[in-house]
Amino acid sequence: MNIGFEELTTGESLQIIRDIAADIWPKTFAEILSREQISYMMDMMYAPEVMSNELAGGYHFEIIKINNVPAGYFSWSPYEPAGTAKLHKLYLLQEYHGKNIGSCMLKQVEKRAYAAGFTTLRLNVNKYNKRAKKAYLRNGFTITESVKIDIGNGFFMDDFVMEKSIAAKLQLLNQA
């Protein structure tokens, strides 16, 4: 299996992520969120103007290609406090789950964030997305708080906030 990453740097190139998200989101959240909330959140997070604004605001978007075919994506950006990067999205097509590819994606985010000067990686995960929560815990993240975020239209994101120090691990890798 040939795995590669490609950073997306134009608003037009982000269509690849929207296409993958349209496949992943309904399957991933079908048992957790209503169809109405999935649709609302897709519009809220993946509308072309939203993603273009995020790109212009310092977000990084990257896709993973497996055998040269887009199979997933992630996005991250600087966050508060200083030294912290936030992983906003990390999704992989279901046929690649359970093959350590998600962990490979996390390592790529960690490398990118560390190279940009960040020492902590933070993320939110839906409390009921057991598979994702387990994967993050397995990859060294810890739960730091529980939040319920009003996203409008009567919908909430009921999440765990998770964090991981990326400095010590990556310093060791760079010295090897």
Side-chain angles (χ1 to χ4, degrees):
M1 188 173 344
N2 179 17
I3 296 176
F5 292 93
E6 179 183 337
E7 187 162 8
L8 305 179
T9 58
T10 67
E12 296 78 29
S13 68
L14 298 174
Q15 183 60 46
I16 296 167
I17 290 176
R18 285 189 285 281
D19 293 342
I20 299 170
D23 181 15
I24 292 173
W25 262 70
K27 294 173 186 171
T28 299
F29 294 106
E31 295 181 15
I32 299 172
L33 305 173
S34 68
R35 280 184 292 168
E36 294 80 16
Q37 184 165 350
I38 292 169
S39 178
Y40 178 80
M41 291 179 72
M42 288 289 296
D43 289 341
M44 180 185 87
M45 296 186 331
Y46 293 99
E49 61 276 6
V50 170
M51 294 180 76
S52 289
N53 287 340
E54 288 174 345
L55 186 63
Y59 280 49
H60 300 269
F61 293 89
E62 214 163 314
I63 58 171
I64 185 169
K65 289 184 174 182
I66 300 176
N67 299 325
N68 293 317
V69 177
Y73 60 93
F74 61 81
S75 72
W76 67 276
S77 72
Y79 201 69
E80 294 295 327
T84 301
K86 179 151 187 196
L87 176 60
H88 298 283
K89 300 173 180 78
L90 188 143
Y91 293 98
L92 181 65
L93 292 171
Q94 285 189 349
E95 59 260 35
Y96 298 108
H97 287 192
K99 298 179 182 188
N100 222 21
I101 296 169
S103 294
C104 179
M105 292 171 71
L106 277 171
K107 286 181 181 85
Q108 179 75 356
V109 175
E110 290 174 23
K111 286 182 200 172
R112 296 282 197 221
Y114 181 75
F118 298 97
T119 58
T120 302
L121 188 58
R122 180 182 178 106
L123 61 86
N124 286 30
V125 63
N126 184 294
K127 289 177 185 172
Y128 305 101
N129 189 343
K130 293 176 185 173
R131 184 177 201 137
K133 185 177 87 174
K134 184 177 175 182
Y136 291 128
L137 290 169
R138 187 175 57 248
N139 280 278
F141 285 84
T142 58
I143 296 171
T144 60
E145 64 181 302
S146 174
V147 296
K148 192 166 185 175
I149 303 163
D150 185 342
I151 58 171
N153 214 36
F155 298 121
F156 292 85
M157 292 193 313
D158 194 7
D159 293 348
F160 287 122
V161 177
M162 302 181 85
E163 286 189 355
K164 177 181 184 177
S165 172
I166 57 175
K169 180 181 175 188
L170 290 172
Q171 284 173 344
L172 290 173
L173 290 174
N174 288 339
Q175 291 172 359

